[in-house]
Amino acid sequence: MNMPLKHQRIGVVVIGQSPRPTVAAEIAAVLSPGIQIELRGALDGMSRAEIDAIPPMDGYDTLFTLLPNGDGVTISKKEVERRASQQITRFKHEGVGVTLMACTGKFPNLAADGLVILPSAILHNLVEAVLPKGRLGVFSPLPEQTALIDKKWQRDGVEVVGITLRPGSSEAVVDEAAHTMADLEPDLVVMDCISYTSANKARVRKAYPGPVILGIAAAARIVEELVS
């Protein structure tokens, strides 16, 4: 592997607010040493009242994120797309070559400026490559998202089963969700939210013996490939 250039930078846009040290640490754990992570939030500069004033219109417009203080909030995807596009444009103008949109949701209206990595596309193509047919298990943060997993993940030859697991949950809650997923006997499990951590994955692996894809790690590995 080639060593990264000195002071090489990547941009990261979280759908909530910065700082998000856990997200940055999960990405840094995958990247080569010396790559600088610059993380910003789509909702940076907004008060909590302003954030609460942009609720999702329906399940398709629903995103979940953890705020820097640890609070979990549901927000409107359309509003996030608008504000995230502004942050991506800022990175482009500042000379940042690669920006990671730190969310596994789909963003059809995102005005991408420059080389932008969308984890949703990475996960879908990765799952399609390694699971041409079989049973796919998906962890989602919210019941509204779990209810829509068929529309997000279903394809010919693949059965989708979903479990709701809120990021930031206690170890006991993660363990319970992991055992419930294991009982469904999927061939592959996807942790479909950037806020899930490698520690969450490790606990899932204690209950479920099969392969598990962590969304944030998969996306960060593509960034590594592009900048190293």
Side-chain angles (χ1 to χ4, degrees):
M1 180 182 296
N2 295 328
M3 291 300 293
L5 298 175
K6 187 177 182 180
H7 304 310
Q8 192 161 2
R9 305 150 64 203
I10 67 162
V12 176
V13 178
V14 296
I15 62 173
Q17 293 184 314
S18 62
R20 288 291 303 279
T22 299
V23 171
E26 291 286 339
I27 296 170
V30 173
L31 300 181
S32 298
I35 299 176
Q36 179 181 342
I37 299 170
E38 298 187 14
L39 187 147
R40 298 169 184 166
L43 308 185
D44 280 356
M46 297 180 68
S47 68
R48 180 56 189 270
E50 290 172 326
I51 293 174
D52 290 340
I54 54 170
M57 294 182 294
D58 53 34
Y60 294 100
D61 189 45
T62 298
L63 294 177
F64 172 89
T65 189
L66 294 173
L67 296 178
N69 66 359
D71 287 351
V73 293
T74 56
I75 50 181
S76 167
K77 178 189 292 188
K78 289 185 177 180
E79 187 66 18
V80 166
E81 283 179 319
R82 183 179 71 83
R83 293 175 177 271
S85 296
Q86 296 171 356
Q87 296 287 22
I88 290 169
T89 298
R90 282 184 59 199
F91 276 129
K92 173 68 173 179
H93 291 170
E94 293 169 8
V96 175
V98 179
T99 298
L100 172 64
M101 182 66 184
C103 181
T104 60
K106 294 183 178 181
F107 295 94
N109 300 310
L110 186 70
D113 189 1
L115 185 54
V116 180
I117 306 305
L118 298 175
S120 177
I122 292 169
L123 287 179
H124 274 76
N125 284 281
L126 177 56
V127 169
E128 185 172 351
V130 302
L131 187 71
K133 62 180 180 179
R135 179 176 293 174
L136 175 66
V138 181
F139 284 110
S140 302
L142 299 171
E144 301 96 309
Q145 294 168 323
T146 302
L148 295 172
I149 59 165
D150 278 349
K151 291 182 172 59
K152 183 174 182 180
W153 288 100
Q154 191 69 57
R155 55 187 163 84
D156 289 344
V158 174
E159 177 190 3
V160 185
V161 293
I163 298 295
T164 300
L165 175 62
R166 190 180 180 95
S169 295
S170 67
E171 291 183 350
V173 171
V174 175
D175 290 346
E176 181 180 0
H179 283 289
T180 302
M181 179 65 80
D183 289 342
L184 296 173
E185 299 183 341
D187 299 299
L188 173 70
V189 167
V190 174
M191 304 197 73
D192 190 13
C193 179
I194 288 294
S195 292
Y196 293 135
T197 66
S198 53
N200 295 150
K201 176 179 175 177
R203 299 201 73 82
V204 170
R205 292 287 286 112
K206 289 182 178 181
Y208 169 69
V212 179
I213 298 175
L214 179 64
I216 192 170
R221 293 184 198 284
I222 297 301
V223 173
E224 168 72 15
E225 185 68 17
L226 293 171
V227 301
S228 296

